[in-house]
C-alpha cells in the first residue's frame, strides 16, 4: 500500500494505541476510529469522511474523570460499538458524593449515511439519588488522512471559529482546494453550559432509574438527536449489513461454534469493508489508513470471494474499468490502459500534494484485472459483462505489451516515474522488500516473479475470452501466455536453490532472495509440476512456516526480520494464495494444515485476522505476536479463509457448463463436516455437503434447483 514502510515505522515509533486497542466502524466513505472507551483523542482517532477528519476530539467525562472501563468491543456484524463502564467517585454535590461503581454507563454507537449516532445510557444502581455532572469535549481539525498519518504540510486552509446554538456546535474549514468542509455535534438535551470545545450537563438521576443522552456527529448540519432517530437508523444500518453478509453462498461448519464464528466474523469483515458504489459493491482495503478503493486489494479480495459471491468481482471490474488510465503521467505513474492502484478524495490529493488522488503505481494490478475477468467469466458465464468490459481488457493487455514490458524482454517490470511515487510497486511495496541475496537493493527496472505469473494468467484469460467472443487475437494471446511461461522458467528458476528468484534487476540478474512471492506463482499455475513440488516442499519447511502461517521471507535470508512489514512477517492473504497454489498441484492436505494454522492464529485475534502479524516461531502455549499497527479489519485478510476453504475442498464452478467440480476434498483437522449452501451456478442453485468418513472426505449434493451437476474428480 502507499508509503507503507514510512507509515508503519512512524506509527511504531509514536507509541500510539495498536489496532487491537482501537475500535473501528465504517459505513460507505465514512469511518470512525476510537479508543476502547469510545473516545476520540486525536492521534490516529477520529471520524473521517472522504479522507478528511471531520471530528478529531470527542471525550466523555463523568464528574471530571474518565469512567472506569469494564468492557468494550464491536458487535460481530460490525454495526455497533459498545463500551460498558462505571463511575469513579463523584465530587460532592449538595453535601453528598456518590461512591465509585454505582453508575453503569453504556456508550452504544453506529454509523449510517455519513453520520455517527450514539446513545449514552446511564443507570443508577446506588441506594441514593445522584447529581451527575457529565461533560463532552469535542473538536474538529479537518486534517487530511495523510496528515493524520504523519505527512507535514507547509500550508493549510482556514478553520472558522465553531458556532453554537444551545444544543449543537458546528465546525467549518475552507481548504486550499477551495472546498468548504463542515461538521457538527448535536445533543438530544441542552447542556447547562456549552462552549466551542465543551458541553457540560448536570443530571439528577434517582436511584434505580436510567437516563439516555443521544449524540449525533456528521459531515453537515445535524438534526436534533432523538430516541426515534436512533432506533430507525440503527435498524436501517443493521438491515443493510445483514443484506451484504447474506449475499451469495454460505459455508457452515460443525456444531462447534468457534469455527462458525470465525467464518461469520470473516464474512462480516468483508461486508463491513464493502461499499455500495454506483458501479456495484467494492471491498475497500482496510481501516484505518486504507478505507478507500485499492486496485490490487479489491481484485484479490473479489477473487477470494468469487466462488461464493461473484457480485464483488463484477463490481470491482466495473469500477476499475471506469478509472482506467487514458494518458501518461509521471506524477500519477499512469499510461494508457493501466489499471488504478489507489484513489483518494482528500484535500492533499486534490491539490497534488500527494499523487494518490488517482494513482497508478502498481505494476501488478493491470494483469490481475484481466486475470480476474477471465476467472469471473468462468465462474458466472456472464459474457454480457465481459462484452461491456472488452475495450478495457484490450486496452489493459495493450498496456502490458507497450508499457509494462519496459525493456522489450517479454517481462512486466516497473520503475517509478517520479520521486513522489512508490519505490516498489508489487504487493510488497515497502522500500526494503526487494533485494539481492546479500541485501543490496536492485537497480531498476525490476521484474517481480509473481507479476509474471499474473501476466501469464492474464494472457490465458484473454485467449479463453477471445475464443468465447470469436476475437481473432485469441491465438496470439495463447502464444503469449506460453512464451511468458518459458521466460519465467528460464530466467527466474534457481537450480541450486530449487526455488525461484524473487525478481530480476535492471540488468536481468536474478535477485536470489527466497521469498513467499513464489507461492503466488503457484497460484497462477505457471510452474512445471516438478518445480511446483520443489517450491511447495520448501515453503512447507520451517524456513517459511512459522506455525501460524507462511512467512513473507525465508529465515536466514538477508534482511529477514520477523517484526518487519514484508521481510519475515506473516500475511494471511499471502498464505492463502500460496495454499491455493499448492492445491492446484494436488497438495490439499498441506492446504488443510495451513488453514488450521491460520485458524489457530485467528483464535488469538478474537477471530478477526489482522493485515499481518509477526513471523516468530510458534511456541507451545503462546499466542502469535501482533504487528502493532496492522490494519484491522483488512479485506484480503478477512477473505483469506474463504480462498483456503475453496482450495482445501477442491471446489471449482463452471457456470457455462453448469458444473460444480470437487477434486480430492480435504477437511481441516477437527472439522468433521461442512455444508456449502445456496451456491449459484448460472440460473441454478445447489447445496453441497462434505463429511469425513473413515479418514476420507465424501461429498453429497443436497437441495438443488435448475440444471446443475456436481462431479467428483477423485
Amino acid at each position: 500500500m502507499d508509503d507503507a514502510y514510512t507509515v508503519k515505522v512512524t506509527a511504531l515509533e509514536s507509541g500510539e494505541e495498536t489496532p487491537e486497542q482501537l475500535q473501528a466502524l465504517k459505513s460507505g466513505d465514512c469511518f470512525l476510529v476510537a479508543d476502547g472507551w469510545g473516545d476520540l483523542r486525536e492521534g490516529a482517532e477520529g471520524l473521517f469522511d472522504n479522507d478528511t477528519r471531520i471530528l478529531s476530539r470527542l471525550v466523555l467525562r463523568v464528574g471530571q474523570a474518565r469512567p472506569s472501563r469494564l468492557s468494550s468491543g464491536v458487535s460481530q456484524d460490525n454495526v455497533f460499538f459498545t463500551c460498558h463502564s462505571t463511575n469513579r467517585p463523584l465530587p460532592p454535590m449538595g453535601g453528598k458524593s456518590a461512591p465509585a461503581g454505582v453508575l453503569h454507563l453504556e456508550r452504544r454507537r453506529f454509523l449510517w449515511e455519513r453520520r455517527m449516532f450514539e446513545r449514552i445510557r446511564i443507570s443508577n444502581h446506588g441506594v441514593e439519588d445522584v447529581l451527575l455532572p457529565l461533560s463532552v469535549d469535542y473538536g474538529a481539525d479537518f486534517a487530511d488522512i495523510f496528515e493524520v498519518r504523519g505527512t507535514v504540510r507547509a500550508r493549510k486552509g482556514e478553520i472558522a471559529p465553531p458556532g453554537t446554538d444551545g444544543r449543537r456546535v458546528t465546525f467549518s474549514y475552507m481548504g486550499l482546494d477551495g472546498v468548504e468542509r463542515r461538521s457538527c455535534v448535536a445533543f438530544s438535551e441542552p447542556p447547562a453550559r456549552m462552549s466551542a470545545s465543551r458541553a457540560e450537563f448536570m443530571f439528577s438521576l434517582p436511584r434505580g432509574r436510567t437516563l439516555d443522552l443521544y449524540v449525533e456527529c456528521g459531515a453537515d448540519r445535524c438534526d436534533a438527536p432523538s430516541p426515534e432517530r436512533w432506533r430507525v437508523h440503527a435498524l436501517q444500518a443493521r438491515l443493510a449489513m445483514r443484506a451484504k453478509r447474506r449475499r451469495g453462498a454460505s459455508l457452515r461448519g460443525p456444531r462447534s461454534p468457534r469455527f462458525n464464528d470465525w467464518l461469520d466474523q470473516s464474512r462480516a469483515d468483508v461486508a463491513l469493508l464493502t461499499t455500495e458504489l454506483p458501479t456495484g459493491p467494492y471491498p475497500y482495503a482496510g481501516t484505518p489508513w486504507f478505507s478507500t478503493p485499492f486496485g490490487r486489494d479489491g481484485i484479490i479480495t473479489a477473487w477470494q470471494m468469487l466462488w461464493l459471491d461473484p457480485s464483488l468481482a463484477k463490481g470491482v471490474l466495473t469500477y476499475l474499468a471506469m478509472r482506467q488510465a487514458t494518458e501518461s503521467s509521471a506524477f500519477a505513474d499512469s499510461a494508457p490502459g493501466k489499471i488504478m492502484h489507489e484513489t483518494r478524495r482528500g484535500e492533499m490529493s486534490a491539490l497534488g500534494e500527494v499523487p494518490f488522488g488517482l494513482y497508478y503505481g502498481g505494476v501488478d494490478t493491470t494483469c490481475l484485472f484481466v486475470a480476474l475477468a477471465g476467472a469471473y467469466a468462468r465462474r458466472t458465464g456472464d459474457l454480457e459483462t465481459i462484452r461491456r468490459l472488452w475495450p478495457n481488457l484490450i486496452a489493459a493487455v495493450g498496456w502490458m505489451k507497450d508499457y509494462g514490458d519496459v525493456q522489450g524482454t517479454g517481462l512486466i517490470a516497473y520503475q517509478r516515474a517520479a520521486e513522489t511515487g512508490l519505490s516498489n510497486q508489487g504487493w510488497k511495496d515497502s522500500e526494503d522488500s526487494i533485494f539481492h541475496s546479500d541485501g543490496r537493493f536492485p537497480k531498476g527496472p525490476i521484474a517481480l516473479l509473481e507479476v509474471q505469473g499474473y501476466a501469464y494468467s492474464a494472457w490465458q484469460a484473454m485467449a479463453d475470452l477471445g475464443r468465447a467472443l470469436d476475437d481473432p487475437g485469441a491465438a496470439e494471446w495463447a502464444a503469449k501466455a506460453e512464451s511468458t511461461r518459458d521466460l519465467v522458467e528460464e530466467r527466474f528458476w534457481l537450480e541450486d536453490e530449487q526455488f525461484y528468484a524473487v525478481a530480476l534487476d535492471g540488468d536481468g540478474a536474478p535477485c536470489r532472495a527466497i521469498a513467499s512471492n513464489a507461492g503466488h506463482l503457484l497460484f497462477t499455475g505457471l510452474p512445471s509440476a516438478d518445480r511446483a513440488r520443489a517450491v511447495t516442499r520448501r515453503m512447507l519447511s520451517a524456513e517459511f512456516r512459522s506455525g501460524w502461517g507462511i512467512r513473507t521471507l525465508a529465515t536466514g535470508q538477508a534482511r529477514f526480520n520477523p517484526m518487519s512489514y514484508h521481510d519475515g512477517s506473516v500475511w494471511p492473504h499471502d498464505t492463502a494464495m500460496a495454499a491455493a497454489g499448492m492445491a492446484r498441484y494436488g497438495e490439499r492436505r498441506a492446504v488443510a494444515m495451513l488453514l488450521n494454522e491460520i485458524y489457530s492464529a485467528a483464535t488469538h485475534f478474537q477471530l478477526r485476522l489482522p493485515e499481518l502479524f509477526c513471523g516468530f516461531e510458534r511456541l507451545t502455549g503462546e499466542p502469535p505476536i501482533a504487528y502493532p499497527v496492522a490494519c484491522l479489519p483488512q479485506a484480503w485478510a478477512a477473505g483469506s479463509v474463504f480462498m483456503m476453504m475453496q482450495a482445501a475442498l477442491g471446489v471449482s464452478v463452471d457456470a457455462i457448463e453448469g458444473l460444480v467440480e470437487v477434486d480430492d476434498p480435504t477437511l481441516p483437522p477437527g472439522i468433521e463436516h461442512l455444508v456449502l449452501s445456496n451456491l449459484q451456478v448460472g440460473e441454478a442453485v445447489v447445496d453441497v455437503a462434505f463429511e469425513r468418513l473413515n479418514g476420507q472426505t465424501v461429498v453429497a449434493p443436497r437441495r438443488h434447483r435448475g440444471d446443475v451437476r456436481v462431479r467428483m474428480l477423485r
Side-chain angles (χ1 to χ4, degrees), residues 336-354:
K338 200 174 186 183
I339 296 297
M340 176 199 88
H341 169 67
E342 174 183 2
T343 184
R344 294 286 185 171
R345 293 167 295 279
E347 178 187 5
M348 293 176 67
S349 296
L351 292 169
E353 295 178 30
V354 292

Side-chain angles (χ1 to χ4, degrees), residues 494-518:
L494 306 175
E495 183 65 27
D496 58 330
E497 295 280 3
Q498 289 291 288
F499 209 79
Y500 290 94
V502 70
L504 302 182
D505 69 11
D507 294 326
C511 300
R512 295 172 59 89
I514 304 302
S516 66
N517 305 55

Side-chain angles (χ1 to χ4, degrees), residues 290-311:
F290 306 117
S291 186
T292 190
F294 275 77
R296 177 192 305 120
D297 297 65
I299 290 169
I300 290 178
T301 303
W303 209 321
Q304 292 170 330
M305 302 301 297
L306 179 61
W307 68 302
L308 299 174
D309 180 13
S311 69

Side-chain angles (χ1 to χ4, degrees), residues 208-418:
R209 300 293 296 274
T210 295
L211 67 85
D212 290 337
L213 175 65
Y214 294 88
V215 185
E216 292 186 21
C217 310
D220 50 17
R221 182 178 175 84
C222 294
D223 295 326
S226 68
E228 293 75 23
R229 283 178 55 81
W230 197 91
R231 285 195 296 269
V232 167
H233 293 304
L235 178 61
Q236 290 173 327
R238 176 150 269 175
L239 289 176
M241 181 63 76
R242 183 181 300 172
K244 287 196 290 184
R245 292 176 65 197
R246 293 182 175 179
R247 188 162 47 202
S250 65
L251 192 66
R252 302 299 293 171
R255 295 184 183 276
S256 167
R258 195 72 167 156
F259 187 78
N260 283 335
D261 284 348
W262 183 37
L263 295 174
D264 289 343
Q265 184 65 66
S266 300
R267 197 67 180 261
D269 285 349
V270 173
L272 172 71
L273 294 168
T274 297
T275 298
E276 302 297 328
L277 301 176
T279 48
Y282 199 107
Y284 285 10
T287 58
W289 306 123
F290 306 117
S291 186
T292 190
F294 275 77
R296 177 192 305 120
D297 297 65
I299 290 169
I300 290 178
T301 303
W303 209 321
Q304 292 170 330
M305 302 301 297
L306 179 61
W307 68 302
L308 299 174
D309 180 13
S311 69
L312 282 186
K314 183 177 180 179
V316 166
L317 290 167
T318 306
Y319 178 89
L320 293 177
M322 290 185 64
R323 283 152 183 79
Q324 189 172 33
T326 57
E327 59 185 16
S328 296
S329 166
F331 183 67
D333 249 318
S334 67
K338 200 174 186 183
I339 296 297
M340 176 199 88
H341 169 67
E342 174 183 2
T343 184
R344 294 286 185 171
R345 293 167 295 279
E347 178 187 5
M348 293 176 67
S349 296
L351 292 169
E353 295 178 30
V354 292
F356 304 115
L358 194 54
Y359 181 61
Y360 293 85
V363 70
D364 49 3
T365 310
T366 308
C367 304
L368 284 166
F369 170 79
V370 178
L372 178 64
Y376 171 78
R378 289 190 300 274
R379 168 63 183 87
T380 64
D382 180 10
L383 293 181
E384 184 57 38
T385 293
I386 297 301
R387 288 188 181 94
R388 289 197 299 270
L389 295 174
W390 195 242
N392 305 100
L393 295 168
I394 293 292
V397 293
W399 174 85
M400 291 169 62
K401 181 175 178 291
D402 298 333
Y403 298 96
D405 185 4
V406 295
Q407 295 175 302
T409 61
L411 299 172
I412 307 296
Y414 68 90
Q415 185 163 354
R416 67 177 173 185

Side-chain angles (χ1 to χ4, degrees), residues 306-629:
L306 179 61
W307 68 302
L308 299 174
D309 180 13
S311 69
L312 282 186
K314 183 177 180 179
V316 166
L317 290 167
T318 306
Y319 178 89
L320 293 177
M322 290 185 64
R323 283 152 183 79
Q324 189 172 33
T326 57
E327 59 185 16
S328 296
S329 166
F331 183 67
D333 249 318
S334 67
K338 200 174 186 183
I339 296 297
M340 176 199 88
H341 169 67
E342 174 183 2
T343 184
R344 294 286 185 171
R345 293 167 295 279
E347 178 187 5
M348 293 176 67
S349 296
L351 292 169
E353 295 178 30
V354 292
F356 304 115
L358 194 54
Y359 181 61
Y360 293 85
V363 70
D364 49 3
T365 310
T366 308
C367 304
L368 284 166
F369 170 79
V370 178
L372 178 64
Y376 171 78
R378 289 190 300 274
R379 168 63 183 87
T380 64
D382 180 10
L383 293 181
E384 184 57 38
T385 293
I386 297 301
R387 288 188 181 94
R388 289 197 299 270
L389 295 174
W390 195 242
N392 305 100
L393 295 168
I394 293 292
V397 293
W399 174 85
M400 291 169 62
K401 181 175 178 291
D402 298 333
Y403 298 96
D405 185 4
V406 295
Q407 295 175 302
T409 61
L411 299 172
I412 307 296
Y414 68 90
Q415 185 163 354
R416 67 177 173 185
E419 288 299 312
T420 52
L422 297 176
S423 56
N424 282 319
Q425 297 190 356
W427 86 264
K428 295 179 180 177
D429 57 4
S430 51
E431 64 181 16
D432 64 346
S433 61
I434 306 300
F435 51 87
H436 285 284
S437 59
D438 59 2
R440 289 180 298 112
F441 294 133
K443 61 177 288 189
I446 297 169
L448 289 172
L449 172 67
E450 75 276 15
V451 175
Q452 315 317 314
Y454 303 154
Y456 167 75
S457 291
W459 294 121
Q460 277 193 323
M462 287 300 289
D464 292 342
L465 295 173
R467 285 188 286 267
L469 300 180
D470 295 323
D471 192 290
E476 179 184 347
W477 294 320
K480 185 63 177 172
E482 289 309 307
S483 66
T484 299
R485 182 205 294 270
D486 293 342
L487 276 170
V488 173
E489 294 285 52
E490 175 188 347
R491 302 192 60 187
F492 284 83
W493 180 251
L494 306 175
E495 183 65 27
D496 58 330
E497 295 280 3
Q498 289 291 288
F499 209 79
Y500 290 94
V502 70
L504 302 182
D505 69 11
D507 294 326
C511 300
R512 295 172 59 89
I514 304 302
S516 66
N517 305 55
H520 294 233
L521 196 69
L522 298 182
F523 174 78
T524 68
L526 182 149
S528 68
D530 288 345
R531 289 182 176 179
R533 282 192 291 269
V535 168
T536 296
R537 280 195 301 271
R538 195 156 184 188
M539 295 195 77
L540 292 177
S541 74
E543 277 186 290
F544 277 103
R545 278 183 59 217
S546 69
W548 303 111
I550 291 176
R551 299 182 182 97
T552 49
L553 187 68
T555 58
Q557 298 295 301
R559 300 189 178 276
F560 173 79
N561 179 354
M563 300 176 290
S564 69
Y565 195 51
H566 287 131
D567 294 335
S569 54
V570 174
W571 289 63
H573 92 279
D574 186 40
T575 295
M577 293 191 75
M582 294 174 190
R584 289 193 68 143
Y585 294 90
E587 292 286 350
R588 301 223 183 273
R589 283 155 187 78
V591 174
M593 176 180 64
L594 290 171
L595 175 59
N596 187 58
E597 292 182 359
I598 289 289
Y599 170 52
S600 296
T603 62
H604 292 283
F605 291 111
Q606 297 180 314
L607 300 179
R608 170 179 272 179
L609 283 169
E611 176 188 18
L612 73 155
F613 45 89
C614 293
F616 291 106
E617 180 183 0
R618 182 175 183 173
L619 298 176
T620 302
E622 297 188 14
I625 298 174
Y627 188 83
V629 287

